Every structure is written in C-alpha cells, then in structure tokens.
Amino acid sequence: MKKIIIILSSIIVIIFIILMIFLFNTDSKNKDIDNVKENETTENTKEKENNEFSTLAYYKEENLDRYKTYQTNNPDLSIEDIVTRVNLNLDKDVYTDTLPAINLNTNYLLVNKFYYLDSNYIPENLELLDSSYAKSGIYLVKEAKDNIERLINDAKNDGMNIRVISAYRSYSYQENLYNNYVKNDGVEMADTYSARPGYSEHQTGLVVDVTRAYDNFNNFENTDEYNWMLENAANYGFILRYPKDKEDITTYSFEAWHYRYVGVELAQKIKASNLTFDEYYIRYLESDNN
Ligand SMILES: [Zn+2]
C-alpha cells in the first residue's frame, strides 16, 4: 500500500511538472507574439511619420529623401510647403538640373530658372500691339493681346492710364540684354534682376510689363494703376507673377510691373489661392498635364 501511494504521488508530481512546463511555454509564446505585434505597430507609425508627405496629391516618391532633408533645414515649414518647394527644385541652386519647359503654346506654360525654352521657340499666334497703348513694335500671343486691350480700355474708364512697355522677347533679344547686364554688373549681380536667355518668361509671349503711361516702371508700385491691377487684372486673365515677399519661391525680386497671362478662369483661381504661379502649378496643374 505504501508503495502504491509513493508511485501515485510521484505520478501526480510528474504530471504537475509537465503541466507547469506546458503552461510556461504557452505564456512565453504569447508574449513573443505580442512583442512582434508591438514592433510592427511601432514600425508602421514610424513609417507614417517619416512619410507624412505621401498624403499629398503632388507627392513624388523619388523626392522623399529631399523632402526629409528640406524639412530638417526648414523645420517651421508646413508639409505642403516642403513638398511644393522641393518639387520646384528650390532645394537646389538656380540654373542647375534644368529641364526643357513643357506645355508649349498653352496658358499653363511654366518658365522659371529651372524650366527653360529652347533658343528657337517662338510662340504661335504672335500679334503686334497697337502703339496707342504699347511701345511700338512689340508682340503678344493673340489671346493675351485681346485681353490686355480689354483690360487697358476698362482701366481707362476707371480713370487709369496703363501702358505696355515690354511684351514678347525673343531668345536673342534676351541674350543681348543679359550679356549687357553681365558686362556692366557681373554674372552674380545680373542674375538677381535679369533672366538668362531661355529662362525669361517674356519668351512665352504671354507676359506684359506695364507702367502708368510715360512714368518710370520702377515707380509703378506707388500708383493707383498698380492698385487697380492688383484688384482687377485676374478678371482679364493676368496675374502678378513676382509678388512681394515671395522671392524665395519665384527667385525674383518683387516686380510690380510684370504680369503673366494664364486665362481668366485660372488667373482668378490663382489669385484666390494666394499662391504664386509656380506653387499653383506644382499643386494643381502639373499632375493634370502628365
Ligand atoms: Zn517683365
């Protein structure tokens, strides 16, 4: 009897030990699974944090590293501004990694210090402006010309006297202009106020420089005509192309006199957005045209 009791209790002890080992194993396996899950979640959150940019419609996968670097260097900028500026190549020096402009002969044509026009690009439908409101011998694309005439006539009815002093400029004209500036002031200085040939928006045939009639264009900012333009130009398809306080985006100093034709609907949208043409192009036009 005593023997049987010893055997039985031994069996019970062994069963107990086996049971304990089994329970412990299951528990640690569960813990392992929990750990894996936890790691996966952390990684997903991390990936999302790193790539908060990808939520934007104009995000470009190939620019991800540049977005991150730009964000590190400009921690106060919004995600939208970071992606927009990097897509505009503003993390690079002007005139580097340049590309031929696309959307030729459309109102969406973007020309800046990263997108250039070929030396033989001449816009279609150029028409001579009338010397009653423009410097003699200058041209614009017909649609822009029709609208600047409408603008100048309506402005006149409001007591404004607006005159066009520059419009389409050929590649060779800009080349001469720029080379003369370089001769006088050096490349570095000339680059601050003049576009290099091929990079001037005037070559699109969609741009006017205006003044109060027979006044110096440098004074345009201080005139009623300028305020009239700010208020009304978009209704005729024109936008102020190089606004004040946007130099870091346009890479041009404020030019009160320089207006770009983009069509009435787009001009009104751009004006309402408070964005420059460059920014608006990246956010809303580029992907539509691809
Ligand atoms: Zn201009």
Side-chain angles (χ1 to χ4, degrees):
M1 186 66 196
K2 213 178 170 186
K3 219 176 171 183
I4 290 173
I5 287 175
I6 290 175
I7 289 172
L8 267 177
S9 44
S10 294
I11 288 173
I12 286 170
V13 166
I14 288 170
I15 287 174
F16 180 77
I17 290 173
I18 289 173
L19 204 71
M20 283 309 290
I21 289 174
F22 178 78
L23 277 177
F24 178 79
N25 261 343
T26 321
D27 193 43
S28 70
K29 257 186 203 156
N30 280 343
K31 265 192 187 147
D32 279 351
I33 290 170
D34 281 352
N35 276 341
V36 169
K37 273 188 184 159
E38 207 166 283
N39 279 343
E40 273 175 3
T41 319
T42 322
E43 225 136 81
N44 279 345
T45 320
K46 231 166 130 190
E47 185 61 33
K48 253 186 208 156
E49 265 169 18
N50 282 345
N51 203 357
E52 53 198 329
F53 313 106
S54 67
T55 56
L56 300 175
Y58 42 99
Y59 165 79
K60 291 180 181 175
E61 181 87 49
E62 68 269 27
N63 288 349
L64 180 57
D65 287 341
R66 289 165 61 200
Y67 299 145
K68 289 178 185 171
T69 307
Y70 202 76
Q71 187 176 42
T72 307
N73 296 334
N74 303 277
D76 296 336
L77 285 183
S78 68
I79 300 304
E80 286 83 357
D81 282 340
I82 290 164
V83 173
T84 303
R85 290 178 195 210
V86 169
N87 287 2
L88 282 168
N89 285 341
L90 293 172
D91 57 335
K92 300 180 178 180
D93 289 335
V94 294
Y95 300 120
T96 57
D97 297 331
T98 58
L99 290 166
I102 54 171
N103 309 315
L104 303 176
N105 290 301
T106 71
N107 293 337
Y108 303 99
L109 173 55
L110 176 70
V111 173
N112 60 26
K113 290 175 189 171
F114 297 97
Y115 286 101
Y116 64 87
L117 293 169
D118 212 65
S119 59
N120 55 28
Y121 178 74
I122 300 170
E124 292 164 1
N125 305 318
L126 282 177
E127 285 190 5
L128 186 66
L129 303 188
D130 194 276
S131 58
S132 62
Y133 65 84
K135 190 177 151 184
S136 66
I138 59 173
Y139 294 78
L140 272 185
V141 168
K142 181 180 170 14
E143 190 183 325
K145 179 198 168 215
D146 292 345
N147 280 284
I148 197 70
E149 284 181 353
R150 207 159 60 81
L151 181 153
I152 287 173
N153 282 333
D154 289 354
K156 193 163 261 170
N157 290 334
D158 286 345
M160 302 293 131
N161 204 349
I162 294 170
R163 195 167 173 82
V164 181
I165 53 165
S166 182
Y168 166 67
R169 290 184 205 150
S170 68
Y171 183 95
S172 59
Y173 183 98
Q174 189 69 26
E175 196 172 32
N176 284 331
L177 200 64
Y178 178 77
N179 287 343
N180 278 329
Y181 291 142
V182 169
K183 218 181 279 170
N184 292 330
D185 287 340
V187 171
E188 213 173 305
M189 188 63 194
D191 276 342
T192 65
Y193 60 83
S194 172
R196 294 184 184 178
Y199 297 87
S200 170
E201 206 184 32
H202 281 274
Q203 198 185 333
T204 65
L206 298 168
V207 168
V208 288
D209 288 344
V210 297
T211 61
R212 178 167 66 186
Y214 307 109
D215 195 3
N216 188 309
F217 70 93
N218 277 313
N219 187 45
F220 192 59
E221 184 188 355
N222 307 312
T223 64
D224 291 342
E225 279 78 357
Y226 170 64
N227 289 322
W228 190 95
M229 286 294 283
L230 281 188
E231 189 70 35
N232 300 295
N235 299 333
Y236 303 85
F238 287 89
I239 53 162
L240 180 69
R241 182 66 179 84
Y242 306 124
K244 221 176 233 181
D245 303 324
K246 296 279 190 171
E247 284 92 344
D248 52 338
I249 296 159
T250 65
T251 75
Y252 281 93
S253 311
F254 168 51
E255 293 192 1
W257 57 87
H258 180 114
Y259 295 84
R260 162 65 193 270
Y261 183 78
V262 291
V264 174
E265 200 189 328
L266 185 53
Q268 285 170 339
K269 281 184 185 166
I270 293 174
K271 189 188 178 207
S273 76
N274 226 1
L275 297 169
T276 62
F277 181 50
D278 309 84
E279 292 167 297
Y280 195 92
Y281 179 87
I282 291 295
R283 292 189 190 187
Y284 305 109
L285 301 176
E286 186 178 47
S287 50
D288 285 358
N289 288 311
N290 279 346

